[in-house]
Amino acid sequence: MVRLFLSGDGPQSKILGAVLLLILFTLAFAPFLFPGTRSLETAARICIFIVLVASYDLLLGYAGIVSFAHTMFFGMGAYGVALATRQMGTGYDALILGTLAGTALAAVFALIIALFSLRVRAIFFAMITLAIASAVAVLVSQLSAITGGEDGLNIRIPRELTPAFRPLDAPFWGVNISGRHLNYYLVFFSCLIMFLIMLRVVNSPFGRVLQAIRENAFRAEAIGYRVVYYRAVATVLSAAMAALAGAVFAIWLRYVGPATTLGVEIMLDILLIVVIGGMGTMYGAVVGTVVFVLAQNYLKDWMGGASESTAFLPLVPDLLNPDRWLMWLGILFILSVYFFPSGIVGRLRGKA
Amino acid sequence: MTQPSLETHDLTVRFGGHVAVDHVTCAFRPGELTAIVGPNGAGKTTYFNLISGQIPASEGSVLLSGEDITRLSIPARTERGLGRAFQLTNLFPKLTVLENVRLVVQSRMRRGFNIWTMALSHRDLIEAAEAVLERVRLSHLAHQTVAYLPHGDQRKLEVATLIAMEPKVFMFDEPTAGMSVDEAPVILDLIAEIKRNTDATVLLVEHKMDVIRSLADRIMVLHNGALVADGAPAEVMASAVVQEAYMGKELADV
């Protein structure tokens, strides 16, 4: 059963298996384990970024394609939901239609980019995606009549998914259940399903061909695989998954804006997480995202505490000043790339 | 006479002013093993590259079972039954031995776009791959990563992948290059076996004359890109052109 869900691609390491189970358990019961708005926000962000990063891993880690347009597809899903609710009013039909429209647009865009540019060398493909993504980002911020420009758009979602909705009179497991929790479980389960779908794809005969192409595209051609088509399908799948993640993100945040979906920073975050977690493993997206998002959200707090408790020492409190958190995050990256060139998952699987 | 499985008509390629392959016209029949010989730089590998599609031809055509494949892509030629092993080992280094062969079987069975089933559940592909490994006596290494294999085993694997492809035309480019005296016969036995058990056409670029003598039905001699001799081994080896091509005019005169 478990094997079927994981598509026969288990963690292959006891420690990794334990870590993944812990993550799954924590995310599944996050509202009860860590009551509070901020931790719920963090948990939802982790779920969504796992899917977003895994979809990028499908492209980079499995197919060996470097793309900088991933946040564009993420944004298409998010804006799809926002624009649909704006046009059609609040309702589940708008959410579903917006999600589908955003995903379809992302898929078509990805197909066009892929067929036009995957024949060229990898570096050109990367540049083309960068150019298109930048152009789209500029368009979105300029067409403020439609997209809300830099301010973005607020999304009105059905009441059952908002904090105002109270389905139960009494607390459940010590938590006052609200629509926010229902929304969280919508995020959690859709992300879980999407992740398992991707795990299935990379372990299919198709996924094996992608890995073969990444290893040696010349040979893949020689044994009869049409490399361009495989790469195009991988690009489309990855874009569609990113768009779905974007739609879920928009529904969760009830807001969409250039900075939350289309930003270059997010693209860099995705790249870093894939590398830290371990390319071409899928599970790397899970472990990497958890480490990264936790560091991003809580490193400042931890450093504040550490800075105060070392106040009696010279220099140390200054180094641990919360304002320096970005420097420490940077140092963490450098160290992790240096010591785990195959990522955390690669390391745990003993293929460092 | 049976239809040739592979033909080249006036096949030519120019790199700038240099003519690497010069109007080579030749036909290869099923069940026939042809050795292609010639000094370094004679255009043997380039001729192979033109046939398998790695280099586009400047002029002339390539026919596979009568069909013009000159403008087809490499995968399209492979699908139609053209199988090529390379001079420099060309495998998937980070994948296992079994996976290298399984991918070939998967390609032949056209299952590559199967996106929703587990690769592991395609037992028939795995079994077919295992059977090929058995034939080339690599079964004991099936789960090894290719990069860690000794050179000789990598060459064997390369032949194995070609066998797994079940092509109509086998093209071997110096299959025993860089192999020790002990290892080379294994590869040659495999080629002899292909010749015995199938009626495939085999093209073999080879330098070692004893190998050619024992395997070839026919020898083609390329010199400066042109076909200078073509015929039965004994006949070709005795001919003056070949002596000249191999040893230079002066020596041949002596």
Side-chain angles (χ1 to χ4, degrees), chain B residues 89-109:
Chain B
T89 306
N90 179 35
L91 296 159
F92 301 116
K94 287 190 198 157
L95 306 182
T96 63
V97 170
L98 181 64
E99 180 65 5
N100 264 274
V101 182
R102 202 199 60 83
L103 278 164
V104 175
V105 182
Q106 179 178 295
S107 170
R108 171 163 59 82
M109 305 265 203

Side-chain angles (χ1 to χ4, degrees), chain A residues 57-140:
Chain A
D57 192 29
L58 177 66
L59 205 59
L60 179 68
Y62 284 87
I65 301 168
V66 182
S67 156
F68 290 108
H70 213 58
T71 47
M72 177 180 81
F73 301 126
F74 187 54
M76 283 177 177
Y79 275 95
V81 169
L83 295 174
T85 47
R86 228 181 144 193
Q87 293 295 319
M88 302 169 59
T90 307
Y92 292 104
D93 53 343
L95 296 188
I96 293 170
L97 206 72
T99 305
L100 293 180
T103 308
L105 182 69
V108 170
F109 240 76
L111 184 66
I112 294 170
I113 297 178
L115 290 182
F116 271 106
S117 50
L118 274 176
R119 284 173 198 278
V120 298
R121 292 229 320 266
I123 183 75
F124 292 117
F125 180 79
M127 291 299 115
I128 287 165
T129 57
L130 186 60
I132 293 175
S134 314
V136 168
V138 169
L139 263 180
V140 167

Side-chain angles (χ1 to χ4, degrees), chain B residues 2 15 20 31-32 46 48 51 53 61 79 87 114 131 133 136 139 173 226 229:
Chain B
T2 48
F15 302 120
E32 187 182 53
T46 310
F48 264 28
I51 294 173
S61 58
E79 271 177 14
Q87 185 175 10
N114 209 314
L133 287 182
V136 300
S139 297
D173 196 351

Side-chain angles (χ1 to χ4, degrees), chain A residues 53-352:
Chain A
V53 173
S55 66
Y56 193 69
D57 192 29
L58 177 66
L59 205 59
L60 179 68
Y62 284 87
I65 301 168
V66 182
S67 156
F68 290 108
H70 213 58
T71 47
M72 177 180 81
F73 301 126
F74 187 54
M76 283 177 177
Y79 275 95
V81 169
L83 295 174
T85 47
R86 228 181 144 193
Q87 293 295 319
M88 302 169 59
T90 307
Y92 292 104
D93 53 343
L95 296 188
I96 293 170
L97 206 72
T99 305
L100 293 180
T103 308
L105 182 69
V108 170
F109 240 76
L111 184 66
I112 294 170
I113 297 178
L115 290 182
F116 271 106
S117 50
L118 274 176
R119 284 173 198 278
V120 298
R121 292 229 320 266
I123 183 75
F124 292 117
F125 180 79
M127 291 299 115
I128 287 165
T129 57
L130 186 60
I132 293 175
S134 314
V136 168
V138 169
L139 263 180
V140 167
S141 70
Q142 294 300 313
L143 292 171
S144 45
I146 304 168
T147 62
E150 286 295 328
D151 294 336
L153 295 168
N154 284 312
I155 301 168
R156 293 178 58 85
I157 59 173
R159 201 177 110 79
E160 293 80 32
L161 297 175
T162 64
F165 178 68
R166 298 274 169 184
L168 303 174
D169 297 330
F172 181 71
W173 285 0
V175 177
N176 284 311
I177 303 292
S178 78
R180 197 74 182 140
H181 294 111
L182 299 183
N183 200 339
Y184 174 75
Y185 280 105
L186 176 71
V187 171
F188 174 76
F189 283 109
S190 30
C191 289
L192 183 63
I193 292 169
M194 285 193 266
F195 181 78
L196 292 178
I197 287 175
M198 282 188 276
L199 198 57
R200 192 153 183 103
V201 169
V202 299
N203 286 295
S204 68
F206 172 78
R208 297 290 186 93
V209 179
L210 290 186
Q211 293 170 53
I213 292 172
R214 177 195 64 195
E215 288 297 312
N216 188 345
F218 176 77
R219 166 117 191 131
E221 286 254 303
I223 62 175
Y225 293 114
R226 289 176 169 79
V227 169
V228 175
Y229 295 168
Y230 283 90
R231 283 191 168 151
V233 173
T235 311
V236 169
L237 268 176
S238 152
M241 279 294 167
L244 285 173
V248 175
F249 195 43
I251 294 171
W252 170 253
L253 282 183
R254 290 177 287 160
Y255 164 79
V256 60
T260 55
T261 53
L262 298 170
V264 183
E265 297 80 12
I266 300 175
M267 191 63 240
L268 290 179
D269 289 352
I270 296 173
L271 265 169
L272 283 172
I273 298 173
V274 169
V275 173
I276 292 171
M279 275 194 275
T281 58
M282 279 292 139
Y283 294 116
V286 180
V287 181
T289 304
V290 171
V291 170
F292 186 87
V293 175
L294 286 183
Q296 214 178 22
N297 282 317
Y298 295 106
L299 194 60
K300 254 181 172 167
D301 298 356
W302 295 336
M303 286 176 61
S307 179
E308 273 168 34
S309 57
T310 55
F312 56 92
L313 291 170
L315 197 63
V316 177
D318 289 330
L319 281 177
L320 291 176
N321 190 310
D323 291 345
R324 311 253 185 286
W325 76 279
L326 211 52
M327 176 185 84
W328 286 104
L329 199 59
I331 291 175
L332 272 179
F333 292 147
I334 296 170
L335 291 180
S336 71
V337 171
Y338 188 80
F339 287 108
F340 313 132
S342 54
I344 299 172
V345 168
R347 180 74 189 196
L348 288 177
R349 282 179 171 175
K351 290 184 236 165

Side-chain angles (χ1 to χ4, degrees), chain B residues 148-167:
Chain B
Y148 302 124
L149 249 49
H151 178 76
D153 286 333
Q154 293 195 11
R155 297 302 300 182
K156 262 204 241 174
L157 179 57
E158 178 118 28
V159 176
T161 58
L162 205 53
I163 292 173
M165 217 180 269
E166 296 183 4

